Structure formats: structure tokens, C-alpha cells
Amino acid sequence: MEVRTAVSPKDVKFYTTEKLREEFLIQNLFVPGEIKMVYSHIDRIITGGAVPVEPIELTAGDEIRAEYFLQRREMGVINIGGKGIIEIDGTDYELEYKDGIYVGMGAKKIIFKSLDKEKPAKFYINSAPAHTSYPTVYIKPENCVQVELGSLEESNHRVITKYILPGQVESCQLVMGMTSLKPGSVWNTMPTHTHDRRMEVYLYFEMPEDALVFHYMGEPTETRHIVMRNEEAVISPSWSIHSGSGTRAYTFIWGMVGENQDFDDMDHVAMKDIR
């Protein structure tokens, strides 16, 4: 498990392109036959990817000093690959493309499997510290709260699918979902915002090899960008904006952890104030 420390906005304004990528960009998450994890000191989120050619068991690793991975944690998983199975303490849950699952604190034995190793599942993982145990919930996107926002004229016509949030799937602090841009739209989260009460991680996907997204971050008056490609993730501290523009439409998974689970708790930034 790779460990990343927290960073100050006072320092980030002096970062080079390579330093920005080193601190915030997460690449090579989906390696066949492996579970890859990045542990961030920013709200202690773990971002991971599991691609089981053969069954792979999730273990705690030395970094979190736990007997098992979810001893003091909760986890959300969304499959962005072929059909797969997550075995949780002896119970199998079959996940098709874009199906998700919430796994509460206390689940001990978690095994990732693919139905076809030639077309393996790609399980995308967000995990956060937890204080109590909530039930495991299997999530179908068509059963989730969905909100359509934006317009083609503003290049941001999109559908937001909320997988894990209060009132739908209960959790300690993890909130998770997916945003899909309509063809012809390329902007997400603009006008942009910050939310000091929680951080966020984006995973961009459904992008062809020759496409890319410019992910914008930094304080509203000290913006920076990171060039991102298919199936790459980016860490967004609570003090940073998080917005993107692509060379074509794309989809991204967002996961938030921190003090507040209110999806609409945002500090909006006026377009005239962005620099």
C-alpha cells in the first residue's frame, strides 16, 4: 500500500507539474491479478483497485495496523470491468458493470473474483475510517437517486447517480457516486466549489486511449491542473476546487469522506473569482 501525506495549499502553489502529479495523481490502479491501494493522510481515505484474474483476498497490510481491513473501516466498491463477485464473510455478491456495494465495518473476509478471467472485473474501492457498523448493501445504479443537470449549450449536460448517501445507503462518513457526461459535453463541476468539511477523490473512466481530461485543482484564486487519462484517479483536498474539462465526454466516480455527509454542503465559487 502506497502512503501519501497531507499537503498545505501554501506549498502547492509552488509545485511543478511533476510534483503535482506525484502528490495527487493515482495511476496504474487496475493491474491484472493484483490489488493496488493508496492510503492518503487527507481524511485517511484509501483508494484502490482490484483486478482478480484468480480470486484475491483483501488484507489489511501493515499501514493501518489492523487485524483485518475493515476492522475499523467501511468501504464502497463499484465495478467498472467485466462481471465479478465479491465474497463477504461467505456470502457472494455478483456485480455487473457499474454495480456497486457498501461494506460496513466489521466484515472480516473479503475476496474479489471474476466470472471470466479473460474479461476480469475491475473493482474500484474507496474506504474510510468508521465508528459503527452499518449493513452491507448491494447497489444497482438504476435503483439509485439520479439527478440530471446542466445543458449542452454550457457543455456540461450530465447525470449524477448517487450510490452511497444518507437516506439511501447509510454509512459513517463515506459518500460515493458517479457522474456521466452526455455526448457533446466535456465540463464537470463548473461553476466550481470547495467543501472544507470533506475531501474528495475522482476516478475518470470511459475514455478512449487518445482522450484526456484536464483536472483543475488548487485554491480558487491559485488554480492548477493535472492531465489525466482513462482509469486514473486524483486526490482533492478539502481546500481545493475539483473540476475537469475533457477532449470528449467521459464518466467519473466521486468519493467523499470527512465531517459532513450533506451532498449539497458546498462553498460555491463565482466565475469572476476564479484565477
PDB file of all heavy atoms in Angstrom, residues 16-49:
ATOM      1  N   THR A  16       5.749  22.151  -9.119  1.00  0.00           N
ATOM      2  CA  THR A  16       5.882  21.931 -10.557  1.00  0.00           C
ATOM      3  C   THR A  16       4.817  20.939 -11.013  1.00  0.00           C
ATOM      4  O   THR A  16       4.129  20.314 -10.199  1.00  0.00           O
ATOM      5  CB  THR A  16       7.262  21.353 -10.885  1.00  0.00           C
ATOM      6  OG1 THR A  16       7.373  20.062 -10.267  1.00  0.00           O
ATOM      7  CG2 THR A  16       8.381  22.263 -10.408  1.00  0.00           C
ATOM      8  N   THR A  17       4.721  20.767 -12.315  1.00  0.00           N
ATOM      9  CA  THR A  17       3.787  19.775 -12.858  1.00  0.00           C
ATOM     10  C   THR A  17       4.069  18.393 -12.299  1.00  0.00           C
ATOM     11  O   THR A  17       3.145  17.673 -11.873  1.00  0.00           O
ATOM     12  CB  THR A  17       3.882  19.744 -14.394  1.00  0.00           C
ATOM     13  OG1 THR A  17       3.495  21.021 -14.908  1.00  0.00           O
ATOM     14  CG2 THR A  17       2.980  18.668 -14.986  1.00  0.00           C
ATOM     15  N   GLU A  18       5.315  17.991 -12.272  1.00  0.00           N
ATOM     16  CA  GLU A  18       5.656  16.653 -11.787  1.00  0.00           C
ATOM     17  C   GLU A  18       5.342  16.499 -10.308  1.00  0.00           C
ATOM     18  O   GLU A  18       4.898  15.431  -9.870  1.00  0.00           O
ATOM     19  CB  GLU A  18       7.140  16.354 -12.068  1.00  0.00           C
ATOM     20  CG  GLU A  18       7.451  16.060 -13.524  1.00  0.00           C
ATOM     21  CD  GLU A  18       6.561  14.961 -14.090  1.00  0.00           C
ATOM     22  OE1 GLU A  18       6.451  13.898 -13.454  1.00  0.00           O
ATOM     23  OE2 GLU A  18       5.955  15.171 -15.159  1.00  0.00           O
ATOM     24  N   LYS A  19       5.565  17.536  -9.529  1.00  0.00           N
ATOM     25  CA  LYS A  19       5.274  17.462  -8.100  1.00  0.00           C
ATOM     26  C   LYS A  19       3.773  17.361  -7.850  1.00  0.00           C
ATOM     27  O   LYS A  19       3.319  16.598  -6.986  1.00  0.00           O
ATOM     28  CB  LYS A  19       5.854  18.680  -7.379  1.00  0.00           C
ATOM     29  CG  LYS A  19       5.689  18.662  -5.870  1.00  0.00           C
ATOM     30  CD  LYS A  19       6.414  17.492  -5.220  1.00  0.00           C
ATOM     31  CE  LYS A  19       6.349  17.595  -3.705  1.00  0.00           C
ATOM     32  NZ  LYS A  19       6.954  16.407  -3.032  1.00  0.00           N
ATOM     33  N   LEU A  20       2.982  18.105  -8.600  1.00  0.00           N
ATOM     34  CA  LEU A  20       1.528  17.991  -8.501  1.00  0.00           C
ATOM     35  C   LEU A  20       1.072  16.561  -8.778  1.00  0.00           C
ATOM     36  O   LEU A  20       0.255  15.999  -8.046  1.00  0.00           O
ATOM     37  CB  LEU A  20       0.846  18.929  -9.497  1.00  0.00           C
ATOM     38  CG  LEU A  20       0.675  20.392  -9.131  1.00  0.00           C
ATOM     39  CD1 LEU A  20       0.111  21.156 -10.334  1.00  0.00           C
ATOM     40  CD2 LEU A  20      -0.242  20.553  -7.929  1.00  0.00           C
ATOM     41  N   ARG A  21       1.607  15.970  -9.834  1.00  0.00           N
ATOM     42  CA  ARG A  21       1.227  14.613 -10.207  1.00  0.00           C
ATOM     43  C   ARG A  21       1.679  13.609  -9.140  1.00  0.00           C
ATOM     44  O   ARG A  21       0.957  12.668  -8.813  1.00  0.00           O
ATOM     45  CB  ARG A  21       1.824  14.264 -11.578  1.00  0.00           C
ATOM     46  CG  ARG A  21       1.227  15.091 -12.713  1.00  0.00           C
ATOM     47  CD  ARG A  21       1.964  14.897 -14.027  1.00  0.00           C
ATOM     48  NE  ARG A  21       1.799  13.562 -14.559  1.00  0.00           N
ATOM     49  CZ  ARG A  21       0.763  13.150 -15.285  1.00  0.00           C
ATOM     50  NH1 ARG A  21      -0.223  13.998 -15.569  1.00  0.00           N
ATOM     51  NH2 ARG A  21       0.690  11.918 -15.749  1.00  0.00           N
ATOM     52  N   GLU A  22       2.854  13.820  -8.597  1.00  0.00           N
ATOM     53  CA  GLU A  22       3.376  12.919  -7.573  1.00  0.00           C
ATOM     54  C   GLU A  22       2.492  12.919  -6.323  1.00  0.00           C
ATOM     55  O   GLU A  22       2.262  11.867  -5.709  1.00  0.00           O
ATOM     56  CB  GLU A  22       4.796  13.350  -7.198  1.00  0.00           C
ATOM     57  CG  GLU A  22       5.440  12.522  -6.099  1.00  0.00           C
ATOM     58  CD  GLU A  22       6.787  13.082  -5.692  1.00  0.00           C
ATOM     59  OE1 GLU A  22       7.411  13.807  -6.496  1.00  0.00           O
ATOM     60  OE2 GLU A  22       7.212  12.820  -4.554  1.00  0.00           O
ATOM     61  N   GLU A  23       1.978  14.081  -5.944  1.00  0.00           N
ATOM     62  CA  GLU A  23       1.207  14.186  -4.708  1.00  0.00           C
ATOM     63  C   GLU A  23      -0.254  13.780  -4.875  1.00  0.00           C
ATOM     64  O   GLU A  23      -0.846  13.202  -3.967  1.00  0.00           O
ATOM     65  CB  GLU A  23       1.265  15.631  -4.177  1.00  0.00           C
ATOM     66  CG  GLU A  23       2.649  16.071  -3.733  1.00  0.00           C
ATOM     67  CD  GLU A  23       3.099  15.373  -2.464  1.00  0.00           C
ATOM     68  OE1 GLU A  23       2.261  14.816  -1.726  1.00  0.00           O
ATOM     69  OE2 GLU A  23       4.325  15.389  -2.194  1.00  0.00           O
ATOM     70  N   PHE A  24      -0.862  14.084  -6.027  1.00  0.00           N
ATOM     71  CA  PHE A  24      -2.314  13.960  -6.152  1.00  0.00           C
ATOM     72  C   PHE A  24      -2.802  12.918  -7.164  1.00  0.00           C
ATOM     73  O   PHE A  24      -3.900  12.384  -7.014  1.00  0.00           O
ATOM     74  CB  PHE A  24      -2.913  15.321  -6.509  1.00  0.00           C
ATOM     75  CG  PHE A  24      -2.622  16.390  -5.492  1.00  0.00           C
ATOM     76  CD1 PHE A  24      -1.725  17.408  -5.776  1.00  0.00           C
ATOM     77  CD2 PHE A  24      -3.228  16.371  -4.258  1.00  0.00           C
ATOM     78  CE1 PHE A  24      -1.442  18.396  -4.843  1.00  0.00           C
ATOM     79  CE2 PHE A  24      -2.965  17.352  -3.310  1.00  0.00           C
ATOM     80  CZ  PHE A  24      -2.060  18.364  -3.602  1.00  0.00           C
ATOM     81  N   LEU A  25      -2.044  12.639  -8.197  1.00  0.00           N
ATOM     82  CA  LEU A  25      -2.477  11.715  -9.242  1.00  0.00           C
ATOM     83  C   LEU A  25      -2.243  10.263  -8.818  1.00  0.00           C
ATOM     84  O   LEU A  25      -1.192   9.933  -8.264  1.00  0.00           O
ATOM     85  CB  LEU A  25      -1.716  12.004 -10.534  1.00  0.00           C
ATOM     86  CG  LEU A  25      -2.014  11.109 -11.749  1.00  0.00           C
ATOM     87  CD1 LEU A  25      -3.465  11.251 -12.189  1.00  0.00           C
ATOM     88  CD2 LEU A  25      -1.069  11.449 -12.901  1.00  0.00           C
ATOM     89  N   ILE A  26      -3.212   9.407  -9.083  1.00  0.00           N
ATOM     90  CA  ILE A  26      -3.081   7.975  -8.798  1.00  0.00           C
ATOM     91  C   ILE A  26      -3.189   7.222 -10.128  1.00  0.00           C
ATOM     92  O   ILE A  26      -4.242   7.225 -10.764  1.00  0.00           O
ATOM     93  CB  ILE A  26      -4.164   7.482  -7.825  1.00  0.00           C
ATOM     94  CG1 ILE A  26      -4.113   8.272  -6.505  1.00  0.00           C
ATOM     95  CG2 ILE A  26      -4.003   5.996  -7.558  1.00  0.00           C
ATOM     96  CD1 ILE A  26      -5.231   7.924  -5.534  1.00  0.00           C
ATOM     97  N   GLN A  27      -2.106   6.577 -10.518  1.00  0.00           N
ATOM     98  CA  GLN A  27      -2.065   5.832 -11.776  1.00  0.00           C
ATOM     99  C   GLN A  27      -1.922   4.333 -11.519  1.00  0.00           C
ATOM    100  O   GLN A  27      -1.604   3.897 -10.408  1.00  0.00           O
ATOM    101  CB  GLN A  27      -0.887   6.323 -12.619  1.00  0.00           C
ATOM    102  CG  GLN A  27      -0.982   7.773 -13.047  1.00  0.00           C
ATOM    103  CD  GLN A  27       0.240   8.236 -13.818  1.00  0.00           C
ATOM    104  OE1 GLN A  27       1.340   8.289 -13.280  1.00  0.00           O
ATOM    105  NE2 GLN A  27       0.044   8.590 -15.082  1.00  0.00           N
ATOM    106  N   ASN A  28      -2.156   3.557 -12.563  1.00  0.00           N
ATOM    107  CA  ASN A  28      -1.943   2.101 -12.529  1.00  0.00           C
ATOM    108  C   ASN A  28      -2.693   1.426 -11.381  1.00  0.00           C
ATOM    109  O   ASN A  28      -2.160   0.554 -10.687  1.00  0.00           O
ATOM    110  CB  ASN A  28      -0.439   1.801 -12.423  1.00  0.00           C
ATOM    111  CG  ASN A  28       0.363   2.441 -13.534  1.00  0.00           C
ATOM    112  OD1 ASN A  28      -0.034   2.386 -14.696  1.00  0.00           O
ATOM    113  ND2 ASN A  28       1.474   3.078 -13.180  1.00  0.00           N
ATOM    114  N   LEU A  29      -3.953   1.806 -11.207  1.00  0.00           N
ATOM    115  CA  LEU A  29      -4.775   1.199 -10.168  1.00  0.00           C
ATOM    116  C   LEU A  29      -5.245  -0.197 -10.535  1.00  0.00           C
ATOM    117  O   LEU A  29      -5.467  -1.031  -9.660  1.00  0.00           O
ATOM    118  CB  LEU A  29      -6.006   2.076  -9.895  1.00  0.00           C
ATOM    119  CG  LEU A  29      -5.915   3.110  -8.775  1.00  0.00           C
ATOM    120  CD1 LEU A  29      -7.208   3.913  -8.714  1.00  0.00           C
ATOM    121  CD2 LEU A  29      -5.646   2.453  -7.439  1.00  0.00           C
ATOM    122  N   PHE A  30      -5.404  -0.452 -11.832  1.00  0.00           N
ATOM    123  CA  PHE A  30      -6.042  -1.692 -12.263  1.00  0.00           C
ATOM    124  C   PHE A  30      -5.031  -2.596 -12.954  1.00  0.00           C
ATOM    125  O   PHE A  30      -4.863  -2.574 -14.171  1.00  0.00           O
ATOM    126  CB  PHE A  30      -7.237  -1.384 -13.164  1.00  0.00           C
ATOM    127  CG  PHE A  30      -8.269  -0.515 -12.478  1.00  0.00           C
ATOM    128  CD1 PHE A  30      -8.337   0.847 -12.740  1.00  0.00           C
ATOM    129  CD2 PHE A  30      -9.132  -1.057 -11.542  1.00  0.00           C
ATOM    130  CE1 PHE A  30      -9.262   1.651 -12.099  1.00  0.00           C
ATOM    131  CE2 PHE A  30     -10.076  -0.267 -10.891  1.00  0.00           C
ATOM    132  CZ  PHE A  30     -10.140   1.091 -11.168  1.00  0.00           C
ATOM    133  N   VAL A  31      -4.348  -3.393 -12.142  1.00  0.00           N
ATOM    134  CA  VAL A  31      -3.314  -4.307 -12.618  1.00  0.00           C
ATOM    135  C   VAL A  31      -3.851  -5.730 -12.514  1.00  0.00           C
ATOM    136  O   VAL A  31      -4.229  -6.173 -11.417  1.00  0.00           O
ATOM    137  CB  VAL A  31      -2.020  -4.171 -11.788  1.00  0.00           C
ATOM    138  CG1 VAL A  31      -0.967  -5.145 -12.286  1.00  0.00           C
ATOM    139  CG2 VAL A  31      -1.504  -2.733 -11.851  1.00  0.00           C
ATOM    140  N   PRO A  32      -3.932  -6.471 -13.618  1.00  0.00           N
ATOM    141  CA  PRO A  32      -4.467  -7.827 -13.566  1.00  0.00           C
ATOM    142  C   PRO A  32      -3.762  -8.695 -12.520  1.00  0.00           C
ATOM    143  O   PRO A  32      -2.535  -8.714 -12.442  1.00  0.00           O
ATOM    144  CB  PRO A  32      -4.218  -8.359 -14.985  1.00  0.00           C
ATOM    145  CG  PRO A  32      -4.222  -7.139 -15.847  1.00  0.00           C
ATOM    146  CD  PRO A  32      -3.593  -6.066 -15.004  1.00  0.00           C
ATOM    147  N   GLY A  33      -4.567  -9.342 -11.686  1.00  0.00           N
ATOM    148  CA  GLY A  33      -4.041 -10.237 -10.671  1.00  0.00           C
ATOM    149  C   GLY A  33      -3.609  -9.562  -9.389  1.00  0.00           C
ATOM    150  O   GLY A  33      -3.052 -10.222  -8.493  1.00  0.00           O
ATOM    151  N   GLU A  34      -3.859  -8.250  -9.252  1.00  0.00           N
ATOM    152  CA  GLU A  34      -3.371  -7.524  -8.074  1.00  0.00           C
ATOM    153  C   GLU A  34      -4.459  -6.653  -7.451  1.00  0.00           C
ATOM    154  O   GLU A  34      -5.463  -6.313  -8.084  1.00  0.00           O
ATOM    155  CB  GLU A  34      -2.190  -6.624  -8.447  1.00  0.00           C
ATOM    156  CG  GLU A  34      -0.959  -7.360  -8.921  1.00  0.00           C
ATOM    157  CD  GLU A  34       0.211  -6.427  -9.161  1.00  0.00           C
ATOM    158  OE1 GLU A  34       0.233  -5.328  -8.557  1.00  0.00           O
ATOM    159  OE2 GLU A  34       1.090  -6.783  -9.970  1.00  0.00           O
ATOM    160  N   ILE A  35      -4.241  -6.312  -6.178  1.00  0.00           N
ATOM    161  CA  ILE A  35      -4.978  -5.242  -5.508  1.00  0.00           C
ATOM    162  C   ILE A  35      -3.989  -4.109  -5.259  1.00  0.00           C
ATOM    163  O   ILE A  35      -2.960  -4.313  -4.623  1.00  0.00           O
ATOM    164  CB  ILE A  35      -5.586  -5.699  -4.166  1.00  0.00           C
ATOM    165  CG1 ILE A  35      -6.597  -6.832  -4.373  1.00  0.00           C
ATOM    166  CG2 ILE A  35      -6.276  -4.514  -3.466  1.00  0.00           C
ATOM    167  CD1 ILE A  35      -7.185  -7.370  -3.081  1.00  0.00           C
ATOM    168  N   LYS A  36      -4.269  -2.942  -5.805  1.00  0.00           N
ATOM    169  CA  LYS A  36      -3.415  -1.762  -5.619  1.00  0.00           C
ATOM    170  C   LYS A  36      -4.141  -0.785  -4.686  1.00  0.00           C
ATOM    171  O   LYS A  36      -5.340  -0.535  -4.844  1.00  0.00           O
ATOM    172  CB  LYS A  36      -3.126  -1.085  -6.950  1.00  0.00           C
ATOM    173  CG  LYS A  36      -2.503  -2.022  -7.988  1.00  0.00           C
ATOM    174  CD  LYS A  36      -1.029  -2.246  -7.737  1.00  0.00           C
ATOM    175  CE  LYS A  36      -0.220  -1.044  -8.120  1.00  0.00           C
ATOM    176  NZ  LYS A  36       1.244  -1.298  -8.055  1.00  0.00           N
ATOM    177  N   MET A  37      -3.417  -0.219  -3.725  1.00  0.00           N
ATOM    178  CA  MET A  37      -4.008   0.682  -2.743  1.00  0.00           C
ATOM    179  C   MET A  37      -3.131   1.920  -2.545  1.00  0.00           C
ATOM    180  O   MET A  37      -1.902   1.818  -2.509  1.00  0.00           O
ATOM    181  CB  MET A  37      -4.161  -0.023  -1.388  1.00  0.00           C
ATOM    182  CG  MET A  37      -5.169  -1.167  -1.381  1.00  0.00           C
ATOM    183  SD  MET A  37      -6.848  -0.539  -1.304  1.00  0.00           S
ATOM    184  CE  MET A  37      -7.743  -2.082  -1.072  1.00  0.00           C
ATOM    185  N   VAL A  38      -3.788   3.065  -2.364  1.00  0.00           N
ATOM    186  CA  VAL A  38      -3.109   4.298  -1.981  1.00  0.00           C
ATOM    187  C   VAL A  38      -3.795   4.837  -0.732  1.00  0.00           C
ATOM    188  O   VAL A  38      -5.005   5.105  -0.734  1.00  0.00           O
ATOM    189  CB  VAL A  38      -3.142   5.350  -3.108  1.00  0.00           C
ATOM    190  CG1 VAL A  38      -2.563   6.679  -2.615  1.00  0.00           C
ATOM    191  CG2 VAL A  38      -2.376   4.864  -4.322  1.00  0.00           C
ATOM    192  N   TYR A  39      -3.017   4.976   0.342  1.00  0.00           N
ATOM    193  CA  TYR A  39      -3.518   5.473   1.628  1.00  0.00           C
ATOM    194  C   TYR A  39      -3.125   6.943   1.740  1.00  0.00           C
ATOM    195  O   TYR A  39      -1.951   7.287   1.738  1.00  0.00           O
ATOM    196  CB  TYR A  39      -2.881   4.658   2.751  1.00  0.00           C
ATOM    197  CG  TYR A  39      -3.271   5.030   4.158  1.00  0.00           C
ATOM    198  CD1 TYR A  39      -4.088   4.214   4.913  1.00  0.00           C
ATOM    199  CD2 TYR A  39      -2.775   6.193   4.763  1.00  0.00           C
ATOM    200  CE1 TYR A  39      -4.426   4.525   6.213  1.00  0.00           C
ATOM    201  CE2 TYR A  39      -3.105   6.520   6.062  1.00  0.00           C
ATOM    202  CZ  TYR A  39      -3.939   5.684   6.784  1.00  0.00           C
ATOM    203  OH  TYR A  39      -4.277   6.005   8.078  1.00  0.00           O
ATOM    204  N   SER A  40      -4.125   7.823   1.819  1.00  0.00           N
ATOM    205  CA  SER A  40      -3.865   9.254   1.940  1.00  0.00           C
ATOM    206  C   SER A  40      -4.102   9.704   3.371  1.00  0.00           C
ATOM    207  O   SER A  40      -5.104   9.347   3.992  1.00  0.00           O
ATOM    208  CB  SER A  40      -4.769  10.051   0.994  1.00  0.00           C
ATOM    209  OG  SER A  40      -4.615  11.440   1.210  1.00  0.00           O
ATOM    210  N   HIS A  41      -3.191  10.516   3.894  1.00  0.00           N
ATOM    211  CA  HIS A  41      -3.384  11.112   5.209  1.00  0.00           C
ATOM    212  C   HIS A  41      -4.498  12.151   5.204  1.00  0.00           C
ATOM    213  O   HIS A  41      -4.937  12.586   6.272  1.00  0.00           O
ATOM    214  CB  HIS A  41      -2.085  11.754   5.688  1.00  0.00           C
ATOM    215  CG  HIS A  41      -1.070  10.758   6.150  1.00  0.00           C
ATOM    216  ND1 HIS A  41       0.077  11.128   6.822  1.00  0.00           N
ATOM    217  CD2 HIS A  41      -1.011   9.401   6.040  1.00  0.00           C
ATOM    218  CE1 HIS A  41       0.802  10.046   7.112  1.00  0.00           C
ATOM    219  NE2 HIS A  41       0.161   9.000   6.628  1.00  0.00           N
ATOM    220  N   ILE A  42      -4.958  12.567   4.033  1.00  0.00           N
ATOM    221  CA  ILE A  42      -6.071  13.508   3.934  1.00  0.00           C
ATOM    222  C   ILE A  42      -7.355  12.755   4.269  1.00  0.00           C
ATOM    223  O   ILE A  42      -7.860  11.952   3.468  1.00  0.00           O
ATOM    224  CB  ILE A  42      -6.148  14.143   2.540  1.00  0.00           C
ATOM    225  CG1 ILE A  42      -4.846  14.870   2.206  1.00  0.00           C
ATOM    226  CG2 ILE A  42      -7.324  15.112   2.462  1.00  0.00           C
ATOM    227  CD1 ILE A  42      -4.762  15.379   0.785  1.00  0.00           C
ATOM    228  N   ASP A  43      -7.872  12.953   5.469  1.00  0.00           N
ATOM    229  CA  ASP A  43      -9.057  12.275   5.980  1.00  0.00           C
ATOM    230  C   ASP A  43      -8.930  10.751   5.966  1.00  0.00           C
ATOM    231  O   ASP A  43      -9.918  10.033   6.063  1.00  0.00           O
ATOM    232  CB  ASP A  43     -10.326  12.706   5.243  1.00  0.00           C
ATOM    233  CG  ASP A  43     -10.796  14.083   5.700  1.00  0.00           C
ATOM    234  OD1 ASP A  43     -10.918  14.275   6.920  1.00  0.00           O
ATOM    235  OD2 ASP A  43     -11.025  14.955   4.844  1.00  0.00           O
ATOM    236  N   ARG A  44      -7.682  10.243   5.819  1.00  0.00           N
ATOM    237  CA  ARG A  44      -7.391   8.807   5.949  1.00  0.00           C
ATOM    238  C   ARG A  44      -8.147   7.949   4.937  1.00  0.00           C
ATOM    239  O   ARG A  44      -8.460   6.786   5.188  1.00  0.00           O
ATOM    240  CB  ARG A  44      -7.705   8.335   7.375  1.00  0.00           C
ATOM    241  CG  ARG A  44      -6.926   9.100   8.448  1.00  0.00           C
ATOM    242  CD  ARG A  44      -5.481   8.712   8.480  1.00  0.00           C
ATOM    243  NE  ARG A  44      -4.664   9.635   9.284  1.00  0.00           N
ATOM    244  CZ  ARG A  44      -3.368   9.447   9.556  1.00  0.00           C
ATOM    245  NH1 ARG A  44      -2.748   8.381   9.094  1.00  0.00           N
ATOM    246  NH2 ARG A  44      -2.700  10.318  10.264  1.00  0.00           N
ATOM    247  N   ILE A  45      -8.427   8.505   3.757  1.00  0.00           N
ATOM    248  CA  ILE A  45      -9.098   7.716   2.731  1.00  0.00           C
ATOM    249  C   ILE A  45      -8.118   6.740   2.091  1.00  0.00           C
ATOM    250  O   ILE A  45      -6.929   7.032   1.942  1.00  0.00           O
ATOM    251  CB  ILE A  45      -9.734   8.622   1.656  1.00  0.00           C
ATOM    252  CG1 ILE A  45     -10.696   7.813   0.765  1.00  0.00           C
ATOM    253  CG2 ILE A  45      -8.660   9.316   0.812  1.00  0.00           C
ATOM    254  CD1 ILE A  45     -11.541   8.663  -0.163  1.00  0.00           C
ATOM    255  N   ILE A  46      -8.601   5.555   1.747  1.00  0.00           N
ATOM    256  CA  ILE A  46      -7.845   4.598   0.943  1.00  0.00           C
ATOM    257  C   ILE A  46      -8.555   4.452  -0.397  1.00  0.00           C
ATOM    258  O   ILE A  46      -9.756   4.192  -0.450  1.00  0.00           O
ATOM    259  CB  ILE A  46      -7.711   3.240   1.646  1.00  0.00           C
ATOM    260  CG1 ILE A  46      -6.840   3.374   2.907  1.00  0.00           C
ATOM    261  CG2 ILE A  46      -7.100   2.202   0.699  1.00  0.00           C
ATOM    262  CD1 ILE A  46      -6.715   2.094   3.709  1.00  0.00           C
ATOM    263  N   THR A  47      -7.801   4.642  -1.470  1.00  0.00           N
ATOM    264  CA  THR A  47      -8.311   4.476  -2.830  1.00  0.00           C
ATOM    265  C   THR A  47      -7.638   3.252  -3.429  1.00  0.00           C
ATOM    266  O   THR A  47      -6.415   3.111  -3.332  1.00  0.00           O
ATOM    267  CB  THR A  47      -7.988   5.718  -3.675  1.00  0.00           C
ATOM    268  OG1 THR A  47      -8.547   6.873  -3.041  1.00  0.00           O
ATOM    269  CG2 THR A  47      -8.556   5.588  -5.073  1.00  0.00           C
ATOM    270  N   GLY A  48      -8.420   2.361  -4.043  1.00  0.00           N
ATOM    271  CA  GLY A  48      -7.818   1.134  -4.528  1.00  0.00           C
ATOM    272  C   GLY A  48      -8.494   0.573  -5.762  1.00  0.00           C
ATOM    273  O   GLY A  48      -9.578   1.008  -6.167  1.00  0.00           O
ATOM    274  N   GLY A  49      -7.816  -0.400  -6.357  1.00  0.00           N
ATOM    275  CA  GLY A  49      -8.348  -1.134  -7.496  1.00  0.00           C
ATOM    276  C   GLY A  49      -7.970  -2.598  -7.380  1.00  0.00           C
ATOM    277  O   GLY A  49      -6.841  -2.921  -7.018  1.00  0.00           O
TER     278      GLY A  49
END
